[in-house]
Amino acid sequence: MPCRTSEQVQKLITEDISSKQVDCLGKIGLWDWVVFPDTDEYAARIDSCFNNCAKLKSACILMPQVTAEVATAIKALVNAGQKFAIRSGGSNFWPSNNIDGGATIDLGRMNPSEYDPKSETIIIGVWGFAGQIYERLAKYERAVGAAREASVGIAGLALTGGIALFIGRYGFACDQVVSHEVVLTDGRIVIADATGEHAELFKALKGGGNNFGIVPHFTIRALPCSTVWGGGAMLPKEIFPEAVEAIVDFVKRVPGDSDTNLICMLCRLTLKLVTIVAALYANVAGVEKPPILDKWLAFPETWK
C-alpha cells in the first residue's frame, strides 16, 4: 500500500464519514494501513467474507502488519470510545468479525508460520488458512487440528472450539493450542499458556472466541499425518431414516476407530429445490473405506 501525504490524508478525513475512526488511527501513525470505503481493496475485503451476513459496511478497515500495530490500534480505539470489530480469515458468522459504522481491524496481512521439529509445534499467524498450513507441514508428514475446508482460517476455528479432522484422536482444534499471543484491551501483549501468569486466560480462549482479547499468533501442536482418506457424497432424502440408524451405529463404533470421522447434514439445495442428505467422510490414518463407514458407503449416491 503506497504511503499517503498529509494533504491526501486530510482530504480523506474531510470527505469520508469515517473521520472519527480515521483520525483516531492517524494520530498513532497508522494512516498507511487504513483502507477506505471508496477503494477497490475495501470492496475486495468485504466481498471475501465467507458469510453474506458478515458483509457489513465498516467506516474503515485497518490492516496492521505486526502485533505491535494491533496493540497500538486497540489502545487508541478503546481510549477514544470508538467501536471496532476484529477479522481474521472471515469465515465466521456476523457479528463476530465485522461492524457497521465502526472500524474493522483486518488481520489479513499477518500470516507467518514457523515449524519447530524439536517441539513438534508450529507458530501460525492469525490469517493462516487450513490449506496453507497443511501444505507447509506436508513435507514433515505432519498436520494440525484445523478445518476440513482449505479456505477456512485457524483463528475463528481454534477460538470457538473447532471441529477438526483429528477430533476423534486428539480432540477439538482448541485442544491443540499450546499458547496464544494475546493483545488485551489496554494494549498489553501477553502470552497465555497452561502454566504461566495468564493460565486462566488460556483456558478462557479455548472456546471463548474474541471476547477476551485479540490473538495475532497461535502456537499449535503438529500432529503425525502422512495421508488422509476422505470425501463427500450427496444421498437421496429417502434414506434419511436409515441414515439416522447409521449415525447411531457409527457412534457406537467410535471407541474402536478414533481416526475416522463423519459429518451428516440434511440440506436444501436452493438451485434445484431438492432436499438431500450430505455426508462428509475422513480417515486421518489414510485407511480407505474403513469398516466403521460400511453402512454409509452402501447408500445410493446422487453425487460424490
Side-chain angles (χ1 to χ4, degrees), residues 232-246:
M234 292 184 182
L235 314 173
K237 66 179 180 180
E238 289 75 18
I239 63 99
F240 186 71
E242 291 82 1
V244 173
E245 294 179 2

Side-chain angles (χ1 to χ4, degrees), residues 222-266:
L223 309 174
C225 180
S226 58
T227 307
V228 173
W229 172 88
M234 292 184 182
L235 314 173
K237 66 179 180 180
E238 289 75 18
I239 63 99
F240 186 71
E242 291 82 1
V244 173
E245 294 179 2
I247 290 174
V248 173
D249 178 73
F250 178 88
V251 172
K252 288 180 178 179
R253 299 171 69 179
V254 163
D257 184 352
S258 57
D259 291 321
T260 301
N261 54 76
L262 164 72
I263 293 180
C264 175
M265 300 166 284
L266 187 64

Side-chain angles (χ1 to χ4, degrees), residues 30 64-74 110 181 183 187 189 216-217:
L30 296 178
Q65 316 289 297
V66 295
T67 301
E69 292 173 349
V70 177
T72 301
I74 292 299
M110 302 185 70
E181 177 192 60
V183 177
I189 302 170
H217 297 93

